[in-house]
Amino acid sequence: KEYLYSRLFTDETIERERWGWSDGYYSIPVWDGESGNSDVLSVRFRAGEGQEPRYKGISGINESALYNKYSLVGQKIAVVFFGELDAQLCWQDCGIAAVSPTNGKEAWIHPLWTDYFNGIERIIIIPDRDDPKKLIPKRKVSLQNLNVKEKGSRGIVTEYESALAASDFFGHRARIKTWDDRFSGKDYNANRVLGMSTKDFSDWIKT
């Protein structure tokens, strides 16, 4: 549990989510509903120190899903991250509904996911801090071409591109927030470890 403690997770969260450890990876169940009281859609594995790849799943049950979607129930505001641990820590810290696609930035977005956001009035999409050279997409992004490799390209999709596609999908309810110079980390988890308070975050997403 030491790594999870170092990322500011509590015993309550670790036990509720049924996180475990196997062969150098932390196991992160993806619940269909309330954690511990619903079916497991898949299991994500987050690498420990020195392990590659950083994330992996189980063959045959690794379809893209919306992690932590149960947090959306009854809420008016939701935050979309591109990492399961970011979503879970934000929910633990702030009580703000927070979700993430399970297979990263190239998994966004499944048309059926729109139902999960019924009743959500404000959606804040926060990509990880990309390499500044990649922040401006080199191609027009749409839901149709998000996961399509262009001829002669590596098919790299930045998190900012995925955020643009998600924003288009949700329309006027959504806006994108990118980490500014007040924060030195690349994502929510890193910024919390580096000293960002929950009040800092809550104030920032309101601006």
Side-chain angles (χ1 to χ4, degrees), residues 3-202:
Y3 170 80
L4 297 174
Y5 290 154
S6 75
R7 309 309 288 183
L8 307 182
F9 289 106
T10 63
D11 280 322
E12 180 182 359
T13 295
I14 295 167
E15 291 166 9
R16 182 191 67 237
E17 297 302 317
R18 311 283 178 90
W19 288 346
W21 173 261
S22 176
D23 297 326
Y25 284 83
Y26 293 93
S27 55
I28 305 171
V30 180
W31 301 95
D32 189 34
E34 184 180 6
S35 302
N37 291 311
S38 61
D39 293 336
V40 174
L41 299 177
S42 65
V43 180
R44 300 292 293 154
F45 293 92
R46 170 66 160 85
E49 293 298 324
Q51 290 288 109
E52 290 292 341
R54 184 182 175 194
Y55 282 98
K56 65 179 184 177
I58 300 174
S59 179
I61 56 168
N62 196 34
E63 294 297 319
S64 295
L66 193 64
Y67 179 78
N68 205 35
K69 66 183 181 184
Y70 180 75
S71 69
L72 298 171
V73 176
Q75 302 299 310
K76 299 296 184 184
I77 299 173
V79 179
V80 174
F81 292 103
F82 293 89
E84 295 93 342
L85 297 186
D86 291 321
Q88 191 58 241
L89 186 61
C90 180
W91 193 35
Q92 171 192 287
D93 282 347
C94 309
I96 298 172
V99 298
S100 170
T102 56
N103 286 327
K105 59 184 181 291
E106 298 193 29
W108 194 266
I109 188 172
H110 194 294
L112 295 179
W113 293 359
T114 186
D115 290 345
Y116 305 147
F117 292 85
N118 287 342
I120 301 292
E121 298 174 356
R122 185 175 173 219
I123 301 167
I124 303 159
I125 304 163
I126 306 178
D128 287 3
R129 191 192 302 272
D130 277 315
D131 181 332
K133 295 178 181 178
K134 297 179 180 179
L135 282 179
I136 301 176
K138 297 180 175 62
R139 58 190 172 87
K140 183 175 177 57
V141 180
S142 69
L143 293 176
Q144 287 70 41
N145 74 4
L146 179 60
N147 297 323
V148 177
K149 293 184 178 181
E150 292 184 337
K151 186 176 181 180
S153 78
R154 297 180 182 178
I156 295 173
V157 176
T158 69
E159 293 208 355
Y160 192 75
E161 286 182 295
S162 288
L164 285 172
S167 180
D168 287 345
F169 182 86
F170 288 118
H172 71 277
R173 292 187 295 167
R175 66 189 180 104
I176 299 170
K177 291 282 288 183
T178 55
W179 299 108
D180 59 35
D181 292 340
R182 285 173 289 178
F183 310 106
S184 54
K186 74 180 185 67
D187 56 27
Y188 181 85
N189 205 296
N191 281 312
R192 284 286 287 119
V193 170
L194 290 169
M196 178 185 73
S197 69
T198 56
K199 184 178 185 302
D200 291 337
F201 178 75
S202 296

